[in-house]
Each structure stands twice: as C-alpha cells, then as structure tokens.
Amino acid sequence: MKRLVVLISGSGSNLQAILDYLAQGTCPAQVTAVISNKSDAYGLERARNAGIPTFSLSHKDFSSREAFDAELMTLIDSQHPDLVILAGFMRILTPEFTRHYSGRLFNIHPSLLPKYKGLNTHQRAIEAGDKLHGATVHFVTEELDGGPLIVQGQLDINPEDNPDSLAQRVHILEHQIYPMAIDWYCCDRLTLSPDGTVLLDNASLPSTGH
Ligand code: GAR
C-alpha cells in the first residue's frame, strides 16, 4: 500500500476527488495525512470527514521560506510517504524541498503547461484569445510550474466563458486527471528517470518543451 501525503491551501476539491477515487478500493494507496499552510482551509474539514489526520503549519510563523520548508519536510517525512501531492498548495517551494522529493512530488496546475505558469491562468487564456485550455499534472522540479508533464486534460474555450466558468470546467477535468496520474504512480507504472524523462509502462511520454 503506497502512502500519500496531500498538501493543500484551500477548498480541497482535488483532495476530495482523490479520496473518492481511493475509496473505490482499486488503487493500492492511502492518504496518511493532509497538511495545509492555512488553518481555515476547507480541505482540512474534508480530510477530517474522511478520518484522515490533518496538520496545519502556517508559513507566517517562520522567518524565512527556507525555515518553513525545512519544518514542512520534517512533518511530511514523519509520514514516510511514497508520494507527496500538491493539490492547490499555493506556496513557492525552495530548491531544497523540490530536490528532496524529486521523482515523488506531483503538482496540478490549471493551464495547458508550458502556457500560463503562475496565477490567473483562466483570465490569461481568455485574454490571449486561446481556443483551448485545461489542466496539467506534472512532476515538480525547481522551476515553478516547469517540471516534466505527466498528463493534461483539455477543453474548448467557449465565447461565453469567463474566468469563473472556465475555472469550474477546468476543475472537473482536474478531478479526472489527478486520480488517474496517482493511480499510475501507485501501481508502479509511472516513474521519472534521472534525465527527466517521464516513463509510463516503460515508454517515454512526449516532452512538453518546458
Ligand atoms: C486547482 O485548480 C489547482 O489546479 C490550482 O489550485 C486549485 C485548487 O483547487 N493550483 C494552482 O494554481 C497551483 N499553481 P482545490 O483546492 O479545489 O483542489
């Protein structure tokens, strides 16, 4: 059974999708802890409702990003995770952190990376006149939203879409692709090779040109 630790900052709808997926019992994994940098994150309540231990660690209690990440690493490592999952964890991570979890750290981002790293992705896609948008699951590296791609979900931007409507539709995609990527990893089908190539069933996935 693979041990998963999920990091959140907010609503935790992706966490919920992961928990619902694991509850089906087909994926050999369990979420052993949910950690938030915000004590009022609704995702913590979702975790408690599922009987999962929760931890809240505020970045505001630390004098530096390095000090916060060091404490966060200690907390995560006390869970002995096989995989660490960023699910709306809105903190930039230090190189020490991303290196420590290299090959076992996932993120989900609300755009078709490498487009629109950072914030306000839905608005930026609409303003650019894009016809396509979506979400990406990727391995986390030192480069913000720049690690090797695992899977993307894609949708059409409709003329009547606004940032809120797009966010809602992208969320639905996220709830499909994140459990899928986690399932691949937990079934030992997905690995990150030392040269940064993502292997699914020993075959290379196409590079995103990050
Ligand atoms: C998701 O849309 C996720 O892609 C995004 O935060 C949202 C969290 O929603 N993450 C980022 O923007 C990270 N750069 P949730 O709390 O309902 O899962």
Side-chain angles (χ1 to χ4, degrees), residues 142-171:
E142 283 180 42
E143 192 197 336
L144 179 68
D145 300 327
L149 177 151
I150 298 168
V151 63
Q152 291 187 312
Q154 192 171 286
L155 51 70
D156 292 326
I157 297 182
N158 301 322
E160 65 274 19
D161 268 320
N162 57 49
D164 286 343
S165 69
L166 259 193
Q168 277 183 27
R169 293 172 58 219
V170 167
H171 256 122

Side-chain angles (χ1 to χ4, degrees), residues 109-175:
H109 183 76
S111 77
L112 294 173
L113 289 172
K115 280 190 149 185
Y116 312 125
K117 298 173 181 180
L119 300 175
N120 303 319
T121 56
H122 311 303
Q123 188 169 341
R124 288 156 69 200
I126 290 172
E127 282 172 4
D130 289 0
K131 299 272 181 282
L132 290 175
H133 189 46
T136 304
V137 178
H138 64 96
F139 282 104
V140 177
T141 60
E142 283 180 42
E143 192 197 336
L144 179 68
D145 300 327
L149 177 151
I150 298 168
V151 63
Q152 291 187 312
Q154 192 171 286
L155 51 70
D156 292 326
I157 297 182
N158 301 322
E160 65 274 19
D161 268 320
N162 57 49
D164 286 343
S165 69
L166 259 193
Q168 277 183 27
R169 293 172 58 219
V170 167
H171 256 122
I172 293 168
L173 280 181
E174 292 186 331
H175 301 162

Side-chain angles (χ1 to χ4, degrees), residues 1 8 44 60 69 76 105 113 131 167 181 204:
M1 194 68 119
I8 61 164
L44 290 175
K60 293 182 183 159
D69 277 12
I76 294 170
L105 181 58
L113 289 172
K131 299 272 181 282
S204 296

Side-chain angles (χ1 to χ4, degrees), residues 102-103 139-141 146-150 191-199 204-210:
S102 177
F139 282 104
V140 177
T141 60
L149 177 151
I150 298 168
T191 47
L192 180 64
S193 66
D195 69 357
T197 308
V198 178
L199 299 172
S204 296
L205 288 180
S207 154
T208 57
H210 284 182

